[in-house]
Amino acid sequence: MNDDTPDVPAPARRRALMLGAASAAAVVSIRPALAATTASIATCEIPVPDAGRAGSYIAADGSTVPSGTAGAFAPPGRPFKGEDVRTALAGGQLPGTTATQSRAYTNYIRRLQSGTSGFTCFASLQMPRG
């Protein structure tokens, strides 16, 4: 043993070095994944409503109701981009909507569940980024 590490046996030093190298490799491989996630959030889409409920209107609370229901909104003409939804969830407004339509659509989006079209995009918006 040398004077730098008098009480640490060689196998323990090697293990610590290997763990440090593995940790550094993990950081290097995670950074590009986060960048790809950020890019995919900007381009992912959330249909309102999903294809399984096409033709339904969206009530103010975000539930789907039969078309023509009083006080409910017709579906928008196209899906919303992830970045637009992120802005609306932070207090902004979805493009091409009135304030009340935007609230109803964002309420619908907040209610999305696993297996519903657009859920993965919505879940990605909820993940913290480093």
Side-chain angles (χ1 to χ4, degrees), residues 22-47:
S23 297
V27 168
V28 169
S29 66
I30 289 172
R31 290 282 180 201
L34 288 174
T37 300
T38 301
S40 68
I41 288 171
T43 60
C44 69
E45 295 184 335
I46 302 176

Side-chain angles (χ1 to χ4, degrees), residues 12-111:
R13 281 195 312 264
R14 266 186 248 117
R15 182 179 303 267
L17 288 172
M18 287 189 302
L19 287 174
S23 297
V27 168
V28 169
S29 66
I30 289 172
R31 290 282 180 201
L34 288 174
T37 300
T38 301
S40 68
I41 288 171
T43 60
C44 69
E45 295 184 335
I46 302 176
V48 176
D50 66 302
R53 295 177 254 188
S56 295
Y57 276 34
I58 307 299
D61 68 355
S63 62
T64 54
V65 295
S67 65
T69 299
F73 301 99
R78 60 180 177 77
F80 294 111
K81 297 281 186 200
E83 196 57 44
D84 294 332
V85 171
R86 178 195 314 255
T87 300
L89 292 171
Q93 190 169 315
L94 291 167
T97 66
T98 65
T100 52
Q101 283 176 314
S102 184
R103 273 193 303 277
Y105 296 152
T106 53
N107 286 339
Y108 169 84
I109 292 166
R110 284 185 180 106
R111 296 171 72 142

Side-chain angles (χ1 to χ4, degrees), residues 50 53 108-123:
D50 66 302
R53 295 177 254 188
Y108 169 84
I109 292 166
R110 284 185 180 106
R111 296 171 72 142
L112 288 175
Q113 297 188 3
S114 182
T116 307
S117 183
F119 174 78
T120 302
C121 182
F122 173 64

